[in-house]
Amino acid sequence: MLPELFCERMKDMLGEEYAAFLDSYEQDRYQALRINPLKKSADGARITPEQLPFSLKKVPWAEDGYYYGKEEQPGKHPYHQAGLYYIQEPSAMAPVTLLGVQPGERILDLCAAPGGKSTQIAAALQGQGLLICNEIHPARAKILSENVERMGVVNACVTNETPERLAEVFSEYFDRILVDAPCSGEGMFRKNEDACGEWSPENVRLCAERQDHILKCAARMLRPGGRLVYSTCTFAPLENEGSISRFVAAHPEFHILPAEPVKSILRQQALRLGNGIAEWTEAPAPHLEDALHLWPQFVAGEGHFAAVLEKDGNLPEGYMAVPSVGLERSASEKELGDYTTFVREELSPELQKRLLGNGCCIKFGDHIYWVTEGMPAVKGLKVLRPGLHMGTLKKNRFEPAHALALALAPGETKHMWDLSSQDDSAKAYLCGQTFSAEGEKGWYLICVDGFSMGWGKLAGSVMKNHYPKGLRCL
């Protein structure tokens, strides 16, 4: 039951295309996953589409994106818990493609929960540089943090801050910023029927006002020459072309770029409506036709909008962006205590060099985190996860974190135990069961088909289960 006022507006906007648009709501929604290239096997290989037990078809605008069959349930497979892929709506994969992330850059995902786009950015960074993922709502920020952990991301800091507070700290700091703005959600009506009941013209206006404020804060945080991608999952011109036009009018140092390479991929099937929608925008910005629309009647996905903006200027040679809070200081070896012993006794020599030589380790209470070199100081910020959670200092011992296990590959630990997805052993482990094993006592990286998914500790002939209780299946 689509809202009547929504239908009236869309009919006026789309004209002869409206019937096809309306028919799209009678079709099944498309389901997709994105393979995680950060997860590696013992030989450094990533999993391939052919190795996944699903019928997959490529999402054309997203690297590593694949549709899967409507009867399949990849969320219930052990590979999902191991972080081998992220289940993500296919149209939602387009904005990060437009962001053009390069390894080593400083990236901000300003409205990041639940984490699909953040983990897509992390994959493009390849473990290099810094990703700050922010979510203003505490409960959603917790989900974001859990997804960053599940995907084995090592160089992400998860914050629970307002855009204003971040803008105070990170003036002209980021190379690229993604603003996947809170919106009226019109593009998700087919996927989420509850969104229909929450829609109203008043909410569209409130969302547009909120978007103006978020974009204003984002502008302060982007360095000269940097790129900002603005996206929504709505069709409302007030929130799409309108938000971008108001922003460019207020910030003449920004200009719109063509939404490539996605536009080239979709040129024949999805763009004939894009230019006409600008007519519904008061004082449209120059080059507004270069923004991107994904329409459900044309593409295998839900409705989405994205615009690429670039900030004028160039960085002077040798420019170093420094946040107002300064840089994080590494904890001393004395402060790290048994953590250092664990790294030297349980992890590979190559990994020891990385963990004890590059970046730095910081201490949050009894928790140890590894953060990238040049990490901003986190004091004074609401931070859920400043980096990779290495583990917890206990009395006379160090207990490695689940996040560390998910970020490791077989061969990076002294001991490894591989379970199979073809029988019940991997699922039993995910449910918290122990199992019989023979070998040298100590910590074991528990894997499924050669990919890490958690910790076990062998004592006697029993592998004790250290999969987090809160994640165990019932």
Side-chain angles (χ1 to χ4, degrees), residues 250-386:
H251 300 83
E253 71 275 21
F254 281 83
H255 56 276
I256 300 172
L257 296 178
E260 299 293 357
V262 180
K263 266 206 165 188
S264 294
I265 295 170
L266 299 178
R267 191 166 302 281
Q268 299 304 316
Q269 56 192 36
L271 298 179
R272 56 182 183 236
L273 288 173
N275 297 350
I277 303 304
E279 299 173 1
W280 282 72
T281 304
E282 184 178 347
H287 307 294
L288 194 56
E289 68 278 3
D290 285 329
L292 173 73
H293 277 279
L294 297 179
W295 299 95
Q297 70 270 34
F298 295 143
V299 303
E302 307 307 312
H304 230 79
F305 170 86
V308 182
L309 298 126
E310 186 175 70
K311 192 173 188 178
D312 295 338
N314 295 294
L315 292 179
E317 187 175 349
Y319 174 82
M320 288 291 293
V322 179
S324 65
V325 290
L327 302 181
E328 195 60 68
R329 180 189 67 86
S330 182
S332 67
E333 188 167 330
K334 182 178 179 180
E335 291 175 300
L336 296 175
D338 290 326
Y339 160 76
T340 304
T341 302
F342 171 86
V343 171
R344 289 173 175 161
E345 292 183 353
E346 300 291 345
L347 303 183
S348 69
E350 181 181 341
L351 194 56
Q352 291 176 36
K353 293 178 183 178
R354 294 214 312 268
L355 295 177
L356 301 177
N358 298 323
C360 68
C361 285
I362 62 175
K363 192 177 177 185
F364 264 31
D366 293 328
H367 296 273
I368 305 296
Y369 288 85
W370 184 87
V371 300
T372 57
E373 191 174 9
M375 171 73 183
V378 296
K379 185 177 181 180
L381 292 172
K382 296 177 184 176
V383 175
L384 278 72
R385 183 178 300 276

Side-chain angles (χ1 to χ4, degrees), residues 16 23 66 73 83 99 118 132 145 147 170-171 173 185 190 201 209 253 264 266 293 302 309 323 333 347 415:
E16 62 183 18
D23 286 345
Y66 293 89
Q73 297 180 308
L99 197 60
S118 283
I132 293 186
S145 183
N147 280 322
F170 296 107
S171 176
Y173 181 80
R190 179 169 62 175
E209 292 173 5
E253 71 275 21
S264 294
L266 299 178
H293 277 279
E302 307 307 312
L309 298 126
E333 188 167 330
L347 303 183
H415 303 116

Side-chain angles (χ1 to χ4, degrees), residues 107-247:
I107 313 292
L108 171 65
D109 187 356
L110 187 51
C111 313
K117 295 178 178 68
S118 283
T119 55
Q120 191 177 358
I121 293 169
L125 283 173
Q126 300 174 24
Q128 304 170 45
L130 173 66
L131 168 61
I132 293 186
C133 328
N134 182 71
E135 174 56 46
I136 193 171
H137 298 289
R140 286 172 55 81
K142 184 175 184 295
I143 295 170
L144 166 64
S145 183
E146 290 170 351
N147 280 322
V148 167
E149 174 181 290
R150 182 173 61 84
M151 299 296 278
V153 178
V154 301
N155 58 330
C157 173
V158 180
T159 58
N160 172 216
E161 278 292 354
T162 63
E164 300 95 326
R165 175 57 181 148
L166 291 179
E168 291 171 1
V169 173
F170 296 107
S171 176
E172 294 194 336
Y173 181 80
F174 295 101
D175 298 301
R176 301 175 196 266
I177 297 176
L178 175 65
V179 177
D180 186 47
C183 68
S184 57
E186 296 173 359
M188 294 291 111
F189 283 175
R190 179 169 62 175
K191 180 181 177 183
N192 180 9
E193 292 183 4
D194 292 340
C196 293
E198 298 169 0
W199 184 91
S200 69
E202 293 75 21
N203 189 43
V204 169
R205 287 191 290 271
L206 286 173
C207 287
E209 292 173 5
R210 186 186 303 123
Q211 291 152 5
D212 291 348
H213 175 70
I214 293 172
L215 281 169
K216 181 180 179 180
C217 294
R220 294 170 56 190
M221 292 186 276
L222 190 67
R223 64 149 172 97
R227 174 175 290 198
L228 186 155
V229 170
Y230 172 82
S231 63
T232 73
C233 58
T234 192
F235 304 114
L238 190 65
E239 301 179 66
N240 293 340
E241 288 85 357
S243 288
I244 291 301
S245 296
R246 294 189 299 274
F247 174 75

